[in-house]
Amino acid sequence: MPLYLNDDQNMLRDTARELMGAEGSIANQLRKYRDMECKDGFGHALWKQFGELGLTGILVDEADGGLGLGHVEAGIVLEEIGRNLTPSPFLVTAVAVVEALRGTKLRERWLPGILAGETVAALAIDEGAKHRPEIIEARAERSGNGFRLSGKKQFVVQGASADVILVAARSDEGITLFAVEKGAHGLDVEGVRLADSSIGARMTFDGVEVDSDAVVGEVGGGEAVLKRVLNAGRAGASSELVGLGSQAMAMTVDYLKQRKQFGKLIGEFQALQHRAAHLYSELEIARSAAIKAQQLLDEGAEDAELMVSVAKAKAGRTSALAVQEGVQMHGGIGMTDEYDIGLYMKRDRVLNELFGDANYHADKVARMKGY
Amino acid sequence: MADLDSFRADTRAWLEANCPAEMREPVRDESDACWGGRNAKFKSDAQKAWMDRMAARGWTVPDWPTEYGGGGLSPAETKTLRQEMARIGARNPLHSFGISMLGPALLKYGTEEQKKRFLPEIARGEIRWCQGYSEPNAGSDLASLQTKCEDKGDHWLVNGQKVWTSYADKADWIFCLVRTDFSAPKHKGISFILFDMASPGVSTKPILLISGNSPFCETFFDDVQVPKDQVVGEVDKGWDVAKYLLGHEREMISGMGLGGNSGSLGEAFADVVAQDPLLRADIARFDVDALACPAFDDEICRHRAQQAPPRAGHGRRRLERARMGQRPLEEGQGRPRMAAHQGQFDRGRDQRGPARNRRQAHSRTPRSLTHAALPQ
Ligand SMILES: Cc1cc2nc3c(=O)[nH]c(=O)nc-3n(C[C@H](O)[C@H](O)[C@H](O)COP(=O)(O)OP(=O)(O)OC[C@H]3O[C@@H](n4cnc5c(N)ncnc54)[C@H](O)[C@@H]3O)c2cc1C
């Protein structure tokens, strides 16, 4: 399959580019909600627009009212989100959670709201400071017709504003995912503002009662669901990182063409040209890796997981390079709040952590390769 | 050697007796740094006592001559003092651009009268200085600066703008590069001038940074009158002074990244590092540099003992150090357990009120990179 986009995909990209470049821009979303200290950290009106344009249904089957498209298409939208640092529930709700709901009975309960751009869903997996889905200590004990959940989760993206939270817990049968509704008795949610001004949540489940309908998939079948969810989330996050890095680079190259020192545009200095060229090549490689991973996911390929980790590691390192070079090449101005480049650095820090950082995924690659 | 041994013993005893326990605690945030100045705000009595006791011995500037408020120590003694301070984890008693930047330049280029007037109050932490070098169009190309300084017979008249002036809003005096000859080639018409920030016509405007803090400012000069005896070195030859000062600034910043000279980052985070082989490899690479670089510091120290000016290589060290200072932060950013959630949590934004912002000190790391390209 070719790595370039077909006509439909190009059209989708244009739609997403237009939306994110205008309504989703830094001034209209990120700065606005940051400066008003919004408790959600994103705009519900824009989420609704995602719904009206059908973007929320990219990964939803046509039979369920979606577009029935794939991860490549989700990645196209995420790249534009990344470019504009648009705070949006898209990655977690419309990519990862939709993947979790695929083929389950919970579709009827949650998909309509997601499709409409009204429902926000969260994933509560991580318990420590780092993404370590292998280590889940939250417990699910049988209780009556359902389960009682207890444990702690953190860095739950949009957790403070989610209508439903998919939480991973360990039951006697193994890892199981449960859909817990907002406001459930015994659920404590504390919003925490992260470096990029988004709101993550710390959650405490203190004997939260759910009935058996809340089980996502099979009891004890959580590992398989998690694998699909994480593959989707990681591939999507890779595209967002690529978009973020590409825009950081575009802004920087723009600056190199404006700023003069020593009577020349600083972009004329070879020391900077080499670094910019290196960054450009890295970004092209990272983008290809992300698209490849998404294509493999769409094909249902066995080895998709390897490429997903390659993509997340490569995109993470490259985006980090792009924001570091970006701030540095802007000189003093790069550190000011007035300039956007610093916002890219902050978002990169958080997005690199989401679903596992570059070291985590390099380690996974090594394990999958048998060393 | 015997002399040095007894110096070490005496120093150790004195530090034990005089360094308050609180001043041996690791520096937790910028408010723990003592900057002195006319409007000094001390976080505690211990902080003030520590500065005053060290200043009384001349040990805020151990290697300056005693007649200017220094300790008159030899390079070897100075190093011994630093080692003994490091041994008990003693904090730097006084952070000061006066000490790290202006002082060395005054010692070399100042008149006797200027040295007597300015150095002792720097050593005692009474006057806080800021650095007026960069302008909107003179960053890396510093020598293209345009701030105008005219000879008005009985005074100088300064007009223009500086930018990125760290702590200009908190400083008492400024050392400033100005153009005194607009017809000469750019490096030739520059002078190095000192004046009081309280002079009529000086104003500052803090700049909000991505950290949420405002450690640096735009600084404006509108018909500022400066007494004639406040130019350092010869008129129109300020570039020599400026470069000499930058050599010392580089040395200062190159020492900033790590608390001491011999820390092992991995050792400090052994339990976390053990769980993450790739992080362990990253940190081990860092530790190799952290342990190798002090050898170069010794070399710089020997070089200075011969009173030689800083060499180009020391700028290189400055860059390495800056990078190293940055790396633990980068490692930490992804690893909140290691760096107290440094990266993911929004410390700057959480403390965003303007009043509090002003009290926040600077984030030094990114500057170290932008400064690295300054011309020699
Ligand atoms: C935290 C911080 C504190 C500061 N404090 C002070 C202070 O107290 N007083 C003061 O006077 N100044 C201060 N500065 C300013 C600092 O000295 C300047 O930022 C620095 O000189 C770079 O200038 P600039 O910001 O104009 O960047 P520019 O000179 O515009 O540089 C932009 C980019 O181009 C690169 N570049 C420029 N020329 C070349 C070249 N010839 N070859 C290759 N690359 C090149 C630079 O490395 C940089 O990446 C501070 C800066 C920071 C970030």
Side-chain angles (χ1 to χ4, degrees), chain A residues 300-330:
Chain A
E302 286 281 317
D303 54 348
E305 192 173 3
L306 174 68
M307 206 58 207
V308 166
S309 279
V310 168
K312 183 68 168 62
K314 186 71 194 170
R317 286 212 202 287
T318 305
S319 161
L321 178 69
V323 298
Q324 274 161 21
E325 289 288 54
V327 168
Q328 202 278 336
M329 290 187 197
H330 274 76

PDB file of all heavy atoms in Angstrom, chain A residues 300-330:
ATOM      1  N   GLY A 300      -5.305  -5.169   9.889  1.00  0.00           N
ATOM      2  CA  GLY A 300      -5.379  -6.210  10.903  1.00  0.00           C
ATOM      3  C   GLY A 300      -4.132  -7.088  10.911  1.00  0.00           C
ATOM      4  O   GLY A 300      -4.184  -8.271  11.260  1.00  0.00           O
ATOM      5  N   ALA A 301      -3.006  -6.504  10.535  1.00  0.00           N
ATOM      6  CA  ALA A 301      -1.768  -7.295  10.418  1.00  0.00           C
ATOM      7  C   ALA A 301      -1.243  -7.729  11.778  1.00  0.00           C
ATOM      8  O   ALA A 301      -1.372  -7.022  12.770  1.00  0.00           O
ATOM      9  CB  ALA A 301      -0.704  -6.466   9.704  1.00  0.00           C
ATOM     10  N   GLU A 302      -0.658  -8.917  11.798  1.00  0.00           N
ATOM     11  CA  GLU A 302      -0.089  -9.500  13.015  1.00  0.00           C
ATOM     12  C   GLU A 302       0.977  -8.604  13.641  1.00  0.00           C
ATOM     13  O   GLU A 302       1.048  -8.459  14.854  1.00  0.00           O
ATOM     14  CB  GLU A 302       0.593 -10.840  12.661  1.00  0.00           C
ATOM     15  CG  GLU A 302      -0.361 -11.976  12.388  1.00  0.00           C
ATOM     16  CD  GLU A 302      -0.904 -12.567  13.678  1.00  0.00           C
ATOM     17  OE1 GLU A 302      -0.112 -12.749  14.613  1.00  0.00           O
ATOM     18  OE2 GLU A 302      -2.138 -12.814  13.744  1.00  0.00           O
ATOM     19  N   ASP A 303       1.827  -8.059  12.768  1.00  0.00           N
ATOM     20  CA  ASP A 303       2.992  -7.341  13.279  1.00  0.00           C
ATOM     21  C   ASP A 303       2.733  -5.833  13.447  1.00  0.00           C
ATOM     22  O   ASP A 303       3.660  -5.046  13.564  1.00  0.00           O
ATOM     23  CB  ASP A 303       4.192  -7.560  12.359  1.00  0.00           C
ATOM     24  CG  ASP A 303       3.864  -7.199  10.906  1.00  0.00           C
ATOM     25  OD1 ASP A 303       2.665  -7.004  10.609  1.00  0.00           O
ATOM     26  OD2 ASP A 303       4.796  -7.114  10.094  1.00  0.00           O
ATOM     27  N   ALA A 304       1.462  -5.448  13.469  1.00  0.00           N
ATOM     28  CA  ALA A 304       1.160  -4.018  13.615  1.00  0.00           C
ATOM     29  C   ALA A 304       1.757  -3.449  14.899  1.00  0.00           C
ATOM     30  O   ALA A 304       2.272  -2.335  14.920  1.00  0.00           O
ATOM     31  CB  ALA A 304      -0.355  -3.799  13.596  1.00  0.00           C
ATOM     32  N   GLU A 305       1.718  -4.231  15.963  1.00  0.00           N
ATOM     33  CA  GLU A 305       2.153  -3.728  17.261  1.00  0.00           C
ATOM     34  C   GLU A 305       3.620  -3.284  17.250  1.00  0.00           C
ATOM     35  O   GLU A 305       3.984  -2.287  17.885  1.00  0.00           O
ATOM     36  CB  GLU A 305       1.934  -4.800  18.334  1.00  0.00           C
ATOM     37  CG  GLU A 305       2.079  -4.254  19.728  1.00  0.00           C
ATOM     38  CD  GLU A 305       1.692  -5.279  20.804  1.00  0.00           C
ATOM     39  OE1 GLU A 305       1.365  -6.427  20.436  1.00  0.00           O
ATOM     40  OE2 GLU A 305       1.718  -4.911  21.980  1.00  0.00           O
ATOM     41  N   LEU A 306       4.431  -4.020  16.511  1.00  0.00           N
ATOM     42  CA  LEU A 306       5.850  -3.651  16.404  1.00  0.00           C
ATOM     43  C   LEU A 306       5.975  -2.264  15.767  1.00  0.00           C
ATOM     44  O   LEU A 306       6.667  -1.380  16.266  1.00  0.00           O
ATOM     45  CB  LEU A 306       6.612  -4.686  15.571  1.00  0.00           C
ATOM     46  CG  LEU A 306       8.074  -4.326  15.274  1.00  0.00           C
ATOM     47  CD1 LEU A 306       8.918  -4.361  16.542  1.00  0.00           C
ATOM     48  CD2 LEU A 306       8.657  -5.264  14.220  1.00  0.00           C
ATOM     49  N   MET A 307       5.268  -2.080  14.656  1.00  0.00           N
ATOM     50  CA  MET A 307       5.361  -0.808  13.942  1.00  0.00           C
ATOM     51  C   MET A 307       4.740   0.332  14.758  1.00  0.00           C
ATOM     52  O   MET A 307       5.203   1.471  14.673  1.00  0.00           O
ATOM     53  CB  MET A 307       4.673  -0.954  12.576  1.00  0.00           C
ATOM     54  CG  MET A 307       5.194   0.000  11.537  1.00  0.00           C
ATOM     55  SD  MET A 307       6.978  -0.192  11.264  1.00  0.00           S
ATOM     56  CE  MET A 307       7.353   1.473  10.714  1.00  0.00           C
ATOM     57  N   VAL A 308       3.737   0.020  15.546  1.00  0.00           N
ATOM     58  CA  VAL A 308       3.140   1.049  16.402  1.00  0.00           C
ATOM     59  C   VAL A 308       4.187   1.555  17.401  1.00  0.00           C
ATOM     60  O   VAL A 308       4.343   2.764  17.605  1.00  0.00           O
ATOM     61  CB  VAL A 308       1.896   0.502  17.137  1.00  0.00           C
ATOM     62  CG1 VAL A 308       1.474   1.433  18.271  1.00  0.00           C
ATOM     63  CG2 VAL A 308       0.736   0.309  16.157  1.00  0.00           C
ATOM     64  N   SER A 309       4.932   0.627  17.987  1.00  0.00           N
ATOM     65  CA  SER A 309       5.957   1.057  18.944  1.00  0.00           C
ATOM     66  C   SER A 309       7.084   1.806  18.238  1.00  0.00           C
ATOM     67  O   SER A 309       7.611   2.792  18.770  1.00  0.00           O
ATOM     68  CB  SER A 309       6.521  -0.140  19.713  1.00  0.00           C
ATOM     69  OG  SER A 309       5.632  -0.468  20.765  1.00  0.00           O
ATOM     70  N   VAL A 310       7.444   1.336  17.049  1.00  0.00           N
ATOM     71  CA  VAL A 310       8.457   2.057  16.269  1.00  0.00           C
ATOM     72  C   VAL A 310       7.970   3.492  16.030  1.00  0.00           C
ATOM     73  O   VAL A 310       8.702   4.466  16.221  1.00  0.00           O
ATOM     74  CB  VAL A 310       8.730   1.348  14.923  1.00  0.00           C
ATOM     75  CG1 VAL A 310       9.549   2.240  13.993  1.00  0.00           C
ATOM     76  CG2 VAL A 310       9.436   0.015  15.159  1.00  0.00           C
ATOM     77  N   ALA A 311       6.714   3.623  15.636  1.00  0.00           N
ATOM     78  CA  ALA A 311       6.170   4.940  15.303  1.00  0.00           C
ATOM     79  C   ALA A 311       6.132   5.859  16.527  1.00  0.00           C
ATOM     80  O   ALA A 311       6.538   7.018  16.457  1.00  0.00           O
ATOM     81  CB  ALA A 311       4.765   4.795  14.719  1.00  0.00           C
ATOM     82  N   LYS A 312       5.674   5.324  17.648  1.00  0.00           N
ATOM     83  CA  LYS A 312       5.552   6.191  18.840  1.00  0.00           C
ATOM     84  C   LYS A 312       6.939   6.618  19.324  1.00  0.00           C
ATOM     85  O   LYS A 312       7.150   7.771  19.727  1.00  0.00           O
ATOM     86  CB  LYS A 312       4.791   5.449  19.944  1.00  0.00           C
ATOM     87  CG  LYS A 312       4.529   6.277  21.222  1.00  0.00           C
ATOM     88  CD  LYS A 312       3.564   7.412  20.993  1.00  0.00           C
ATOM     89  CE  LYS A 312       3.029   8.094  22.251  1.00  0.00           C
ATOM     90  NZ  LYS A 312       3.964   8.751  23.130  1.00  0.00           N
ATOM     91  N   ALA A 313       7.892   5.701  19.278  1.00  0.00           N
ATOM     92  CA  ALA A 313       9.246   6.043  19.714  1.00  0.00           C
ATOM     93  C   ALA A 313       9.869   7.072  18.769  1.00  0.00           C
ATOM     94  O   ALA A 313      10.441   8.074  19.198  1.00  0.00           O
ATOM     95  CB  ALA A 313      10.116   4.789  19.790  1.00  0.00           C
ATOM     96  N   LYS A 314       9.725   6.826  17.483  1.00  0.00           N
ATOM     97  CA  LYS A 314      10.356   7.719  16.506  1.00  0.00           C
ATOM     98  C   LYS A 314       9.683   9.092  16.515  1.00  0.00           C
ATOM     99  O   LYS A 314      10.350  10.131  16.510  1.00  0.00           O
ATOM    100  CB  LYS A 314      10.268   7.098  15.105  1.00  0.00           C
ATOM    101  CG  LYS A 314      11.007   7.860  14.028  1.00  0.00           C
ATOM    102  CD  LYS A 314      12.502   7.727  14.209  1.00  0.00           C
ATOM    103  CE  LYS A 314      13.258   8.743  13.356  1.00  0.00           C
ATOM    104  NZ  LYS A 314      14.686   8.783  13.689  1.00  0.00           N
ATOM    105  N   ALA A 315       8.363   9.098  16.541  1.00  0.00           N
ATOM    106  CA  ALA A 315       7.643  10.373  16.543  1.00  0.00           C
ATOM    107  C   ALA A 315       7.941  11.141  17.831  1.00  0.00           C
ATOM    108  O   ALA A 315       8.092  12.368  17.813  1.00  0.00           O
ATOM    109  CB  ALA A 315       6.139  10.131  16.397  1.00  0.00           C
ATOM    110  N   GLY A 316       8.054  10.423  18.935  1.00  0.00           N
ATOM    111  CA  GLY A 316       8.326  11.082  20.213  1.00  0.00           C
ATOM    112  C   GLY A 316       9.685  11.759  20.211  1.00  0.00           C
ATOM    113  O   GLY A 316       9.825  12.929  20.562  1.00  0.00           O
ATOM    114  N   ARG A 317      10.691  11.023  19.776  1.00  0.00           N
ATOM    115  CA  ARG A 317      12.032  11.617  19.747  1.00  0.00           C
ATOM    116  C   ARG A 317      12.098  12.779  18.764  1.00  0.00           C
ATOM    117  O   ARG A 317      12.747  13.791  19.013  1.00  0.00           O
ATOM    118  CB  ARG A 317      13.065  10.573  19.335  1.00  0.00           C
ATOM    119  CG  ARG A 317      13.369   9.570  20.411  1.00  0.00           C
ATOM    120  CD  ARG A 317      14.814   9.082  20.333  1.00  0.00           C
ATOM    121  NE  ARG A 317      14.993   7.789  20.978  1.00  0.00           N
ATOM    122  CZ  ARG A 317      14.975   7.621  22.301  1.00  0.00           C
ATOM    123  NH1 ARG A 317      14.785   8.643  23.092  1.00  0.00           N
ATOM    124  NH2 ARG A 317      15.136   6.424  22.819  1.00  0.00           N
ATOM    125  N   THR A 318      11.444  12.618  17.642  1.00  0.00           N
ATOM    126  CA  THR A 318      11.529  13.647  16.603  1.00  0.00           C
ATOM    127  C   THR A 318      10.796  14.913  17.020  1.00  0.00           C
ATOM    128  O   THR A 318      11.285  16.026  16.813  1.00  0.00           O
ATOM    129  CB  THR A 318      10.954  13.089  15.284  1.00  0.00           C
ATOM    130  OG1 THR A 318      11.644  11.882  14.980  1.00  0.00           O
ATOM    131  CG2 THR A 318      11.135  14.079  14.162  1.00  0.00           C
ATOM    132  N   SER A 319       9.647  14.739  17.615  1.00  0.00           N
ATOM    133  CA  SER A 319       8.905  15.908  18.070  1.00  0.00           C
ATOM    134  C   SER A 319       9.690  16.638  19.164  1.00  0.00           C
ATOM    135  O   SER A 319       9.764  17.873  19.178  1.00  0.00           O
ATOM    136  CB  SER A 319       7.535  15.448  18.569  1.00  0.00           C
ATOM    137  OG  SER A 319       6.964  16.394  19.389  1.00  0.00           O
ATOM    138  N   ALA A 320      10.313  15.873  20.048  1.00  0.00           N
ATOM    139  CA  ALA A 320      11.129  16.502  21.100  1.00  0.00           C
ATOM    140  C   ALA A 320      12.273  17.303  20.474  1.00  0.00           C
ATOM    141  O   ALA A 320      12.580  18.422  20.893  1.00  0.00           O
ATOM    142  CB  ALA A 320      11.670  15.439  22.056  1.00  0.00           C
ATOM    143  N   LEU A 321      12.879  16.717  19.449  1.00  0.00           N
ATOM    144  CA  LEU A 321      13.964  17.428  18.758  1.00  0.00           C
ATOM    145  C   LEU A 321      13.424  18.710  18.125  1.00  0.00           C
ATOM    146  O   LEU A 321      14.043  19.777  18.212  1.00  0.00           O
ATOM    147  CB  LEU A 321      14.573  16.519  17.686  1.00  0.00           C
ATOM    148  CG  LEU A 321      15.695  17.130  16.845  1.00  0.00           C
ATOM    149  CD1 LEU A 321      16.944  17.354  17.692  1.00  0.00           C
ATOM    150  CD2 LEU A 321      16.040  16.234  15.643  1.00  0.00           C
ATOM    151  N   ALA A 322      12.269  18.608  17.501  1.00  0.00           N
ATOM    152  CA  ALA A 322      11.698  19.761  16.800  1.00  0.00           C
ATOM    153  C   ALA A 322      11.414  20.918  17.772  1.00  0.00           C
ATOM    154  O   ALA A 322      11.702  22.073  17.465  1.00  0.00           O
ATOM    155  CB  ALA A 322      10.413  19.366  16.073  1.00  0.00           C
ATOM    156  N   VAL A 323      10.874  20.610  18.928  1.00  0.00           N
ATOM    157  CA  VAL A 323      10.547  21.708  19.848  1.00  0.00           C
ATOM    158  C   VAL A 323      11.806  22.268  20.510  1.00  0.00           C
ATOM    159  O   VAL A 323      11.900  23.467  20.764  1.00  0.00           O
ATOM    160  CB  VAL A 323       9.488  21.309  20.908  1.00  0.00           C
ATOM    161  CG1 VAL A 323       8.188  20.943  20.223  1.00  0.00           C
ATOM    162  CG2 VAL A 323       9.965  20.177  21.797  1.00  0.00           C
ATOM    163  N   GLN A 324      12.776  21.415  20.747  1.00  0.00           N
ATOM    164  CA  GLN A 324      14.019  21.925  21.337  1.00  0.00           C
ATOM    165  C   GLN A 324      14.749  22.823  20.355  1.00  0.00           C
ATOM    166  O   GLN A 324      15.195  23.919  20.698  1.00  0.00           O
ATOM    167  CB  GLN A 324      14.927  20.770  21.764  1.00  0.00           C
ATOM    168  CG  GLN A 324      14.583  20.291  23.157  1.00  0.00           C
ATOM    169  CD  GLN A 324      15.098  18.901  23.451  1.00  0.00           C
ATOM    170  OE1 GLN A 324      16.022  18.420  22.798  1.00  0.00           O
ATOM    171  NE2 GLN A 324      14.507  18.250  24.409  1.00  0.00           N
ATOM    172  N   GLU A 325      14.880  22.354  19.143  1.00  0.00           N
ATOM    173  CA  GLU A 325      15.523  23.173  18.121  1.00  0.00           C
ATOM    174  C   GLU A 325      14.706  24.443  17.893  1.00  0.00           C
ATOM    175  O   GLU A 325      15.255  25.518  17.686  1.00  0.00           O
ATOM    176  CB  GLU A 325      15.650  22.388  16.807  1.00  0.00           C
ATOM    177  CG  GLU A 325      16.687  21.272  16.858  1.00  0.00           C
ATOM    178  CD  GLU A 325      18.111  21.792  16.862  1.00  0.00           C
ATOM    179  OE1 GLU A 325      18.437  22.634  17.723  1.00  0.00           O
ATOM    180  OE2 GLU A 325      18.899  21.367  16.006  1.00  0.00           O
ATOM    181  N   GLY A 326      13.397  24.297  17.926  1.00  0.00           N
ATOM    182  CA  GLY A 326      12.531  25.449  17.693  1.00  0.00           C
ATOM    183  C   GLY A 326      12.757  26.546  18.722  1.00  0.00           C
ATOM    184  O   GLY A 326      12.989  27.701  18.364  1.00  0.00           O
ATOM    185  N   VAL A 327      12.712  26.187  19.975  1.00  0.00           N
ATOM    186  CA  VAL A 327      12.914  27.195  21.017  1.00  0.00           C
ATOM    187  C   VAL A 327      14.327  27.770  20.916  1.00  0.00           C
ATOM    188  O   VAL A 327      14.526  28.983  20.977  1.00  0.00           O
ATOM    189  CB  VAL A 327      12.658  26.597  22.419  1.00  0.00           C
ATOM    190  CG1 VAL A 327      13.143  27.543  23.515  1.00  0.00           C
ATOM    191  CG2 VAL A 327      11.170  26.312  22.604  1.00  0.00           C
ATOM    192  N   GLN A 328      15.279  26.908  20.699  1.00  0.00           N
ATOM    193  CA  GLN A 328      16.669  27.390  20.645  1.00  0.00           C
ATOM    194  C   GLN A 328      16.876  28.357  19.482  1.00  0.00           C
ATOM    195  O   GLN A 328      17.483  29.411  19.641  1.00  0.00           O
ATOM    196  CB  GLN A 328      17.617  26.193  20.558  1.00  0.00           C
ATOM    197  CG  GLN A 328      19.035  26.503  21.026  1.00  0.00           C
ATOM    198  CD  GLN A 328      19.873  27.180  19.970  1.00  0.00           C
ATOM    199  OE1 GLN A 328      19.612  27.048  18.787  1.00  0.00           O
ATOM    200  NE2 GLN A 328      20.879  27.920  20.407  1.00  0.00           N
ATOM    201  N   MET A 329      16.363  28.003  18.325  1.00  0.00           N
ATOM    202  CA  MET A 329      16.620  28.835  17.148  1.00  0.00           C
ATOM    203  C   MET A 329      15.835  30.149  17.168  1.00  0.00           C
ATOM    204  O   MET A 329      16.138  31.063  16.419  1.00  0.00           O
ATOM    205  CB  MET A 329      16.320  28.067  15.865  1.00  0.00           C
ATOM    206  CG  MET A 329      17.328  26.952  15.610  1.00  0.00           C
ATOM    207  SD  MET A 329      17.061  26.216  13.989  1.00  0.00           S
ATOM    208  CE  MET A 329      17.967  24.687  14.154  1.00  0.00           C
ATOM    209  N   HIS A 330      14.841  30.220  18.024  1.00  0.00           N
ATOM    210  CA  HIS A 330      14.140  31.491  18.182  1.00  0.00           C
ATOM    211  C   HIS A 330      14.916  32.447  19.098  1.00  0.00           C
ATOM    212  O   HIS A 330      14.526  33.602  19.252  1.00  0.00           O
ATOM    213  CB  HIS A 330      12.739  31.286  18.772  1.00  0.00           C
ATOM    214  CG  HIS A 330      11.685  30.987  17.743  1.00  0.00           C
ATOM    215  ND1 HIS A 330      11.570  29.764  17.137  1.00  0.00           N
ATOM    216  CD2 HIS A 330      10.705  31.762  17.223  1.00  0.00           C
ATOM    217  CE1 HIS A 330      10.545  29.797  16.284  1.00  0.00           C
ATOM    218  NE2 HIS A 330      10.013  30.993  16.314  1.00  0.00           N
TER     219      HIS A 330
END
